[in-house]
Amino acid sequence: MKKADVKVGAIVGAKSEEELKKPFQGKVEKIYENSALLAITSYDPVDTTAISDLNNKIVVNFKHLKTARAAKNSKTASTNEVKIEKIAKKNDDKKEADKK
């Protein structure tokens, strides 16, 4: 793939001979000059420990990216999305207790 073809948020197929034994799929998180940061979303069970060591992320050269298609015998990575909620202050509760 060329840099112009890669968009942030797109799901792409990729391979990495150095880190993983089998091809995988990932979501593009960031684009660099010659490569892209992928959050690994689908992979072969053989690569489970390597994926864990990589924290489900890998940088891949554009040469090794392809348009995504459904992979057979693949395992879906669990994404750790953290949601933060603002907690209401308890000053209102104290004021009510003081009034009683």
Side-chain angles (χ1 to χ4, degrees):
M1 278 183 118
K2 295 180 182 176
K3 183 177 180 178
D5 299 333
V6 179
K7 305 287 182 210
V8 173
I11 302 293
V12 295
K15 62 180 179 176
S16 173
E17 291 89 16
E18 299 88 23
E19 301 289 336
L20 306 173
K21 296 176 179 133
K22 302 281 185 170
F24 59 94
Q25 290 183 344
K27 182 178 179 182
V28 179
E29 290 196 339
K30 190 169 184 180
I31 298 173
Y32 300 108
E33 192 63 34
N34 297 310
S35 57
L37 174 65
L38 303 180
I40 300 167
T41 57
S42 180
Y43 57 93
D44 193 281
V46 172
D47 293 322
T48 302
T49 54
I51 298 290
S52 178
D53 291 344
L54 293 167
N55 292 324
N56 292 347
K57 296 193 182 204
I58 190 168
V59 176
V60 181
N61 192 302
F62 293 134
K63 292 184 232 175
H64 300 294
L65 297 179
K66 297 180 182 178
T67 54
R69 53 189 156 153
K72 46 188 166 180
N73 295 334
S74 65
K75 185 174 180 181
T76 303
S78 62
T79 55
N80 297 332
E81 292 187 21
V82 178
K83 294 186 180 184
I84 300 173
E85 295 181 12
K86 193 171 186 178
I87 299 173
K89 292 183 180 179
K90 294 190 176 186
N91 291 340
D92 295 335
D93 294 339
K94 289 181 183 177
K95 288 178 184 176
E96 287 182 27
D98 291 341
K99 290 180 183 177
K100 293 179 183 177

